[in-house]
Amino acid sequence: SDFARYSSLNNGRRAPVAPRALLTEITNKPQTPPRRRNAAMRALLLGIHLTTSYALVAPRGGARRLTSTQLHVFKEPTTPKPVEAPRRPKSKLRPRDPSLYMEPVPLVPDAEGNWEPLVSEIWTDVEKMSKLAETNFKAELSRFRDFCDHYRTARGTIESNGRTLSAQTRLFDVDFDDAGPIRKTKDHKWVRKLAKRVHPIVLEEYEQALNPTTTRNGTWATRKQITWSNTQVMAVRGTPWDAPPTASEEEEVADPKAGMDEAARDAAAAAEEMSAGDGDAPTRSTPPAEEMVSVVEEPPLDPTQYQQLLLQQVTPLKTGVLRFPRTMKALGRYEATSPPPRHVIISRLPPGCSTEPRSDLQNFLLTTHIPLSGQGELTCGGETVAYEEAKPVVFDSTRSYSIKNTGSEDLLLLHVDFWHPAVTEDEKQMLAYFWMLWQFDQYHPSTRAKYTRRVNFRKDQERREREERRKAIKRSDKKDGGGGGGGGSIAR
């Protein structure tokens, strides 16, 4: 500008101050817009962009263009493996509910009223827990110790005053609490609260279970329909518990390395490998994994007979946990049903159907029926009472009782066992622990063959993996020439 040119002519000397008129003239002078400079800058940037893009598309040297985009480094497999769905990592913490990972043994007596005798490993656990409870928590468990003695020694049933008890599983004396077959609900006020709370919840969850709108993840829950049964409860075992095991329940071939220690197993595996490889190897003690699954099919369900849906059997089962969660949560809020005593069943009787008279044989429990829908009546110990919807009926299930549908629609009942009011809190805890061990322990006689097969299969699998690792190490030793610190030594 004129002012800058005027200042530079002074050669570093202090520039004289310009008069006010000159400054005003410079400020008001119209400035030419820098269109030419902007156009030149745009042209320069466009040229740079075109040059770089051409260098990327056509490299120097005139190299030929690729005719295809296929990678020639790796050969694509002719039959690609199917992509497996991502698996959820196994949690190291076992779920609190054992039914989520184990199926219980059916809690039914045999025809003589006996339950299965426990093995010594379970008795060790029971005695250890009872001693800890008495020592640390000052629990009064004399009746529970008598119960354990009865379970060990007594067999058969005891009939007295219209009641039928199992001599093996009685906690009280035979004539204890002879208050009649049908009990007054005013003596068990919590049952009224339970029925009022549970009745709409059970009906809602029952409708959802019959008509599911969503499928859950997991192998069991992908089934659309719930499974009714005639044989889970309200039945007796056909063969006595003390009958000798059949050949199918025992292992046909014993594991040849089952009793060896680690060194002996390694030596035996090395001897097999040196002799003739897999040819002289002993026959496998267990079938492969797919052959180990044995499903016992139930007889086809008769729609005219009494049907039951088992939600709880000492511990909540999968049907109860997954299909009726709010019902099971409501039951856990009352002292008489927590910890879980025995059964929670949804019973369905078609029109005109009635059940055979039966007794539940255990006098430390009482039972309530909560009618959900339909009409019917309960006969217990010679007394008959009609069902009213959502009105509970409490009765002594050690007496002979039966149910009959007197209406034209299905009779739907909620059968809930609860602790007798005379059972103390300590006895509740120990009895619940006792029956849980009875059902889920690995030494249980009914599950022992299954458990042994599983253990032997795992041992066999580990042995084969060790042999494969040993062979791989020997192959690498031969290839690399062995040596102390070479690439093929074990120190690698």
Side-chain angles (χ1 to χ4, degrees), residues 164-181:
T164 307
L165 298 177
S166 169
Q168 201 179 5
T169 57
R170 60 184 179 86
L171 184 70
F172 305 116
D173 294 333
V174 179
D175 295 325
F176 177 81
D177 184 24
D178 192 9

Side-chain angles (χ1 to χ4, degrees), residues 164-450:
T164 307
L165 298 177
S166 169
Q168 201 179 5
T169 57
R170 60 184 179 86
L171 184 70
F172 305 116
D173 294 333
V174 179
D175 295 325
F176 177 81
D177 184 24
D178 192 9
I182 306 290
R183 305 298 173 96
K184 297 177 181 178
T185 52
K186 69 178 184 181
D187 297 334
H188 307 276
K189 293 182 179 178
W190 70 273
V191 175
R192 296 179 186 174
K193 297 180 182 177
L194 173 69
K196 189 176 179 181
R197 172 183 291 185
V198 152
H199 179 259
I201 296 176
V202 176
L203 285 177
E204 182 184 343
E205 291 184 329
Y206 179 71
E207 288 298 324
Q208 289 177 357
L210 287 183
N211 308 301
T213 55
T214 58
T215 56
R216 301 171 184 269
N217 295 328
T219 54
W220 177 86
T222 49
R223 287 194 218 151
K224 291 287 183 96
Q225 299 297 327
I226 54 178
T227 306
W228 295 87
S229 172
N230 284 333
T231 57
Q232 281 178 318
V233 198
M234 307 297 181
V236 294
R237 182 180 166 92
T239 56
W241 285 114
D242 297 331
T246 59
S248 60
E249 295 178 7
E250 296 180 342
E251 289 299 316
E252 295 180 3
V253 183
D255 186 2
K257 298 183 178 61
M260 302 182 184
D261 57 358
E262 194 72 22
R265 284 182 191 173
D266 292 347
E272 284 175 22
E273 183 187 344
M274 293 296 291
S275 59
D278 295 333
D280 289 355
T283 55
R284 276 192 321 206
S285 60
T286 53
E290 60 269 15
E291 297 177 14
M292 290 177 62
V293 180
S294 59
V295 179
V296 180
E297 294 186 1
E298 284 194 356
L301 195 66
D302 187 354
T304 63
Q305 289 185 353
Y306 167 75
Q307 302 163 22
Q308 58 207 354
L309 189 65
L310 190 58
L311 309 187
Q312 172 181 294
Q313 184 183 343
V314 176
T315 48
L317 303 181
K318 287 178 179 177
T319 305
V321 170
L322 297 178
R323 304 292 192 190
F324 297 84
R326 293 165 58 201
T327 304
M328 304 309 292
K329 189 174 181 181
L331 288 170
R333 294 185 176 180
Y334 297 94
E335 291 182 3
T337 54
S338 179
R342 191 171 57 187
H343 293 138
V344 174
I345 309 167
I346 292 181
S347 305
R348 183 168 70 184
L349 278 83
C353 174
S354 61
T355 63
E356 295 291 331
R358 58 170 279 113
S359 168
D360 289 342
L361 306 176
Q362 296 171 340
N363 64 353
F364 53 87
L365 299 171
L366 294 175
T367 304
T368 179
H369 280 176
I370 302 174
L372 303 174
S373 64
Q375 297 177 351
E377 61 185 20
L378 167 74
T379 303
C380 179
E383 297 183 17
T384 302
V385 59
Y387 288 129
E388 296 180 35
E389 191 169 330
K391 297 292 178 64
V393 177
V394 179
F395 61 97
D396 180 6
S397 55
T398 59
R399 298 177 183 269
S400 178
Y401 69 93
S402 62
I403 314 164
K404 184 178 181 181
N405 185 349
T406 58
S408 58
E409 297 180 354
D410 286 352
L411 172 62
L412 210 61
L413 294 172
L414 183 66
H415 172 113
V416 180
D417 293 325
F418 62 93
W419 298 108
H420 192 285
V423 181
T424 65
E425 196 66 33
D426 300 325
E427 288 168 347
K428 287 181 194 177
Q429 298 289 341
M430 286 306 300
L431 283 167
Y433 179 73
F434 178 90
W435 288 112
M436 217 171 75
L437 276 184
W438 191 95
Q439 285 189 305
F440 295 111
D441 200 88
Q442 63 191 18
Y443 301 108
H444 196 288
S446 287
T447 56
R448 195 183 306 148
K450 206 181 299 180

